[in-house]
Amino acid sequence: MRNYTTLFIAIVIFLVLAIYMTFYQVRFDEYAVVTTWEKADVPTYDDAGELVDAGSLVTDPGIYFKGWPWPIKKVYRYPTTVQLLEQELIQFQTRDQNAVVLQTYVTWRIDDPYAFFVQLRNLERAREVLGTQMSNLVGEFSKYRFDQMVNIDPDRLALDDIEREATAQLRDTIDTLNYGIQIEQVGVRRLLLDESTTTEVFNRMRSTRERLAASAEQEGESQATEIRSEAERVKGQILSFAEAEATRIRAEGVRDATASYDVFEENPELAIFLSKVDTMRKMLPGSTLILDANALEFFDLITSPDAEAPTDTANTGGE
C-alpha cells in the first residue's frame, strides 16, 4: 500500500512539472516571444500595420502550450507598461561657461517585442543602451545658458524646450537603431550647481539685489522730492488764499468799524454805555447779572483812574 502512495505522489509531481515545462502564461501587461533553440519566427504585418501572422510573438493574455520544454523552447516576457530610467549625475558646462551637475530621466516602452528581442534580448541590455544614448545628450544641454535653466522668472526658463529637443533627438536615434523601443519623454530630474558656480551665482544675486535696492532707494528719493515740492506748492496756495481772505476780513472789519464810529459819533452816550456793558461781560464771563443803568457808573472809577477824587466836605467845613 505504501508503494502505491509513493508512486501516486511521484506521478502527480511529474505531471505538475510536465505542465509547468510545456505550458506558459502571458499576463495582461506582458508581451511574449517564444523561441526554439533561441530562434524566433518573424511576425508579419499588412499595409495598415495590423498583425497578420504572429510568428513567435504572443500579444494576448492567457495560458498557452509551448510543446517542447526548456531549453528547447524558451519564453521571453516583456512588459507593455512604460518604463523609467534615471541617469547618473553628470557634470557639464553651459554655453556661458558655468559648471552644472545634471540628472536626467527617460520614460520608454517596448513598441515592437520581436525587434526588441532580436536587438537587445532583455531589459538590462536595454537600460545599458539607453544610458549610453542619454549620456550623448549632454551636448544638447550645453547649448543653453545658465540663466535659461535656473531663473526666478518663468518666462526666461527654457527647460521645456530643452526637454522637447532632447526627446526628439533620442527618439530619432532609437528609431534609427531599430531597437523596438518607443521613447516617451526625456526630462530633467535634478539640476545642481558646482561649488564654484554656487559662489559665483550668490555673488551675482547679491550684486543684483544691491543694484535693485539702490534703484529703489533712488526712486524713493525722487518720489519724496516730488512729494515735498507738491506740499510746498500746496502750502503756498493755502497761505496765499489765507492772506487774501484775512485781508478781505480786515477790510470788512474796518468798513464795519467805520460805520460803527459814525453811529457812535451821533450818539456818544450810547457808545459809552455799550463799552461799559462789554467791560462787564469780560469781567463776569458765564454769569448773568442784572444791574440798574445807574450802577454802570461804577466803571467810571476803573476806566478813569486819573479822575479827581470827590472833595471831603467834612474836612472842608472844619477849615
Side-chain angles (χ1 to χ4, degrees), residues 176-236:
T176 302
L177 296 174
N178 193 25
Y179 285 151
I181 292 176
Q182 175 66 37
I183 301 298
E184 297 293 333
Q185 183 182 6
V186 175
V188 176
R189 172 68 70 186
R190 285 194 296 172
L191 190 62
L192 308 176
L193 302 180
D194 187 71
E195 184 176 356
S196 59
T197 305
T198 302
T199 303
E200 182 180 351
V201 169
F202 284 164
N203 292 335
R204 190 182 306 170
M205 291 173 62
R206 186 180 298 109
S207 175
T208 302
R209 294 296 182 272
E210 291 175 354
R211 186 172 64 253
L212 291 175
S215 176
E217 184 177 357
Q218 183 178 1
E219 183 178 356
E221 289 293 338
S222 176
Q223 292 180 356
T225 302
E226 292 180 0
I227 292 173
R228 284 193 292 268
S229 299
E230 180 67 16
E232 290 293 335
R233 185 183 65 80
V234 174
K235 173 185 175 183

Side-chain angles (χ1 to χ4, degrees), residues 17 25 52 54 63 110 151 165 198 222 250 255 278 301 314:
L17 290 176
Q25 180 184 8
V52 177
I63 298 176
I110 299 175
N151 206 306
E165 293 180 6
T198 302
S222 176
R250 282 196 296 269
R255 186 173 59 251
D278 185 62
L301 298 177

Side-chain angles (χ1 to χ4, degrees), residues 55-118:
S56 298
L57 179 63
V58 179
T59 58
D60 297 327
I63 298 176
Y64 297 90
F65 178 71
K66 68 177 179 179
W68 294 101
W70 183 90
I72 300 175
K73 289 276 191 178
K74 287 185 180 180
V75 179
Y76 291 86
R77 296 177 176 85
Y78 303 118
T80 62
T81 55
V82 175
Q83 305 296 303
L84 172 66
L85 174 63
E86 293 184 351
Q87 264 299 77
E88 298 295 331
L89 292 172
I90 55 174
Q91 184 173 347
F92 70 99
Q93 282 191 336
T94 59
R95 195 175 71 183
D96 50 357
Q97 304 303 313
N98 285 310
V100 177
V101 179
L102 178 71
Q103 183 183 24
T104 57
Y105 70 90
V106 57
T107 54
W108 59 281
R109 61 183 178 84
I110 299 175
D111 185 52
D112 187 345
Y114 177 78
F116 184 86
F117 165 78
V118 173

Side-chain angles (χ1 to χ4, degrees), residues 106-147:
V106 57
T107 54
W108 59 281
R109 61 183 178 84
I110 299 175
D111 185 52
D112 187 345
Y114 177 78
F116 184 86
F117 165 78
V118 173
Q119 297 291 337
L120 302 173
R121 193 61 60 97
N122 54 54
L123 295 178
E124 288 73 16
R125 175 59 181 164
R127 294 190 183 97
E128 293 178 3
V129 171
L130 287 175
T132 302
Q133 296 299 329
M134 288 288 291
S135 300
N136 296 334
L137 293 177
V138 175
E140 192 67 31
F141 293 92
S142 300
K143 297 178 181 178
Y144 292 86
R145 300 187 311 274
F146 177 77
D147 62 335

